[in-house]
Amino acid sequence: MATAAQAGGFNRGSANLDGLYSDSLGVYSGITFVSPGRSYSSVTGVRVVGGVPGAFAQGPVEFGDSFSVPYASAGGQLVENVACVGSYSQPYGADSTYTGAITYHIASQSLATRELGLTCSYRYDMGKGRLSFIGGVFNEYIEYKQARNFNLAFGTTGDSTINVTSDTWGYRLGLAYEIPEIALKASLMYRSQTDHNARGNYANTPFATLAAANGAPAPLIAAYGAQTSASATTSASLPQSVELAVQSGIAPGWLAFGSIKWTDWSILQSITLIEGIAGQPFSTSRFFFKDGWTVTGGVAHRFNEQLAGSASVTWDRGVSSGWDTLTDTWTFAGGLAYDFNEKIQVRAGGAAIHFTSGTKSQTSSAVDYTAVSPSEWGYALSASASVKF
């Protein structure tokens, strides 16, 4: 089944832990391709041209880049009552590229993440069912990039860029209960907040010119001199989350499933970078997110011993507070699963993603912009496979 790989702030994918519920060892992998097609229908604001601020108005700008989200995991029951899974996933991400006058403010932005995790469970038989206590650790790597274009503003050739990276550790905890006879499984999973201290660099950045344009004192402008590169440091946190997922057989060959997930996106208010020349705050990305809620419901049906299908609807509450247009999304997904035998399964799916309209209405200074995103559609395609031994 395809998922809405761009939902809830910068959410993308989660670790595949299917091996924790298997009585054998296995390998699980898949990839989801997403084409969001997100755009602004109009942009208005103030930018600098030839060193002088001036108003601008811009028509449609498509900025949501297509992306792929892979995952892989391996593991299963190691000894009686104990199962472990090693996993690779990309929990968060953002990819956007802009054109036209808005590039003075933002030419591109990306957030790439990588999670490597080890999760284990201890199973305890309870009558017809089985209770599992789940715990694990993961290492999370992030890379954040941003670019602006100052060619018309100050004659700077090429984009001015910021690139910082970090890695840190986190953990997950959970409980699961299963009754295989009726295909019942309920799980409650917690993923911890991660705190990053990122380091990197500014490149091709006219420090003195930008400082003067922002009204910095003369000694600071003099300290920047003609330098156009410097180190960059920042601190930021990515959110904790809790997800409750339930499935159950409802009739012969039929399964109902659903989940609700809370993500603490309000932890991400803004990111301020410190330049390494004078040690001053030099650039700030403002988010001011609200918490995210993601709700999914669906049904699955087995047509025969080999072929099954599923359909689902997902609502994701937007996290925007007016600093962006990350508004509500609705995802309508369907998929097919084919069992070659008891050990090998392949899946394929697709989804239509509806983005509700939104407005970037907040500005940080007199030289900023507002924008409107229309109601529009994107799509996702997924493929996955599992092999058990």
Side-chain angles (χ1 to χ4, degrees):
M1 182 183 65
T3 58
Q6 178 151 324
F10 295 143
N11 280 349
R12 283 217 171 153
S14 57
N16 181 287
L17 303 178
D18 287 355
L20 296 181
Y21 309 102
S22 174
D23 294 328
S24 60
L25 296 176
V27 176
Y28 309 81
S29 65
I31 188 168
T32 299
F33 171 80
V34 181
S35 179
R38 201 62 168 130
S39 67
Y40 290 143
S41 56
S42 62
V43 184
T44 57
V46 177
R47 62 170 176 163
V48 176
V49 177
V52 180
F56 76 94
Q58 186 175 353
V61 181
E62 184 171 320
F63 60 84
D65 296 342
S66 298
F67 58 92
S68 296
V69 186
Y71 75 82
S73 66
Q77 181 173 296
L78 301 180
V79 296
E80 185 177 1
N81 296 330
V82 176
C84 288
V85 170
S87 60
Y88 167 86
S89 61
Q90 296 181 357
Y92 308 112
D95 291 280
S96 56
T97 303
Y98 303 81
T99 57
I102 195 176
T103 57
Y104 170 78
H105 295 282
I106 181 72
S108 65
Q109 182 172 250
S110 72
L111 171 67
T113 63
R114 177 219 66 203
E115 178 197 297
L116 295 174
L118 178 64
T119 308
C120 294
S121 67
Y122 178 79
R123 305 163 175 176
Y124 179 75
D125 289 333
M126 295 182 63
K128 292 183 178 181
R130 181 170 66 181
L131 180 66
S132 296
F133 299 91
I134 301 169
V137 296
F138 59 85
N139 179 267
E140 181 180 84
Y141 169 86
I142 67 168
E143 181 176 23
Y144 179 70
K145 297 180 181 179
Q146 191 182 88
R148 297 174 65 182
N149 189 294
F150 298 125
N151 182 26
L152 293 178
F154 311 118
T156 304
T157 302
D159 285 345
S160 170
T161 62
I162 299 167
N163 186 345
V164 294
T165 62
S166 171
D167 72 278
T168 191
W169 290 88
Y171 64 91
R172 56 171 49 90
L173 297 171
L175 290 171
Y177 182 71
E178 306 163 81
I179 303 179
E181 289 181 3
I182 57 173
L184 172 69
K185 181 171 71 175
S187 63
L188 181 66
M189 294 295 300
Y190 170 80
R191 186 184 189 274
S192 73
Q193 175 180 310
T194 51
D195 301 317
H196 289 271
N197 293 307
R199 304 186 64 85
N201 60 77
Y202 287 90
N204 197 34
T205 302
F207 287 100
T209 303
L210 286 170
N214 290 328
L220 181 58
I221 298 172
Y224 289 139
Q227 297 190 59
T228 59
S229 62
S231 62
T233 57
T234 190
S235 297
S237 296
L238 290 173
Q240 61 183 333
S241 63
V242 179
E243 182 172 21
L244 173 66
V246 180
Q247 70 171 48
S248 178
I250 53 176
W254 287 89
L255 184 79
F257 59 89
S259 65
I260 181 169
K261 182 178 183 179
W262 167 77
T263 308
D264 185 22
W265 277 114
S266 59
I267 193 70
L268 188 59
Q269 297 294 291
S270 63
I271 298 176
T272 298
L273 285 96
I274 309 299
E275 46 78 12
I277 300 172
Q280 297 294 309
F282 196 78
S283 53
T284 300
S285 297
R286 295 169 177 84
F287 304 101
F288 298 102
F289 283 165
K290 299 182 296 185
D291 285 354
W293 288 91
T294 306
V295 182
T296 295
V299 294
H301 177 59
R302 180 169 289 281
F303 301 107
N304 54 48
E305 290 299 315
Q306 291 182 300
L307 184 65
S310 66
S312 67
V313 178
T314 298
W315 168 72
D316 187 89
R317 191 189 81 161
V319 298
S320 174
S321 62
W323 292 89
D324 51 55
T325 56
L326 290 171
T327 51
D328 290 12
T329 61
W330 289 87
T331 302
F332 306 90
L336 293 172
Y338 185 82
D339 294 324
F340 287 94
N341 51 50
E342 293 182 352
K343 297 185 180 299
I344 301 175
Q345 183 188 76
V346 295
R347 298 182 183 185
I353 309 172
H354 177 63
F355 298 90
T356 59
S357 60
T359 302
K360 178 190 178 302
S361 57
Q362 301 292 333
T363 56
S364 60
S365 69
V367 183
D368 202 348
Y369 72 96
T370 59
V372 176
S373 283
S375 173
E376 53 196 342
W377 289 85
Y379 70 89
L381 301 171
S382 72
S384 62
S386 62
V387 179
K388 297 179 180 179
F389 306 101

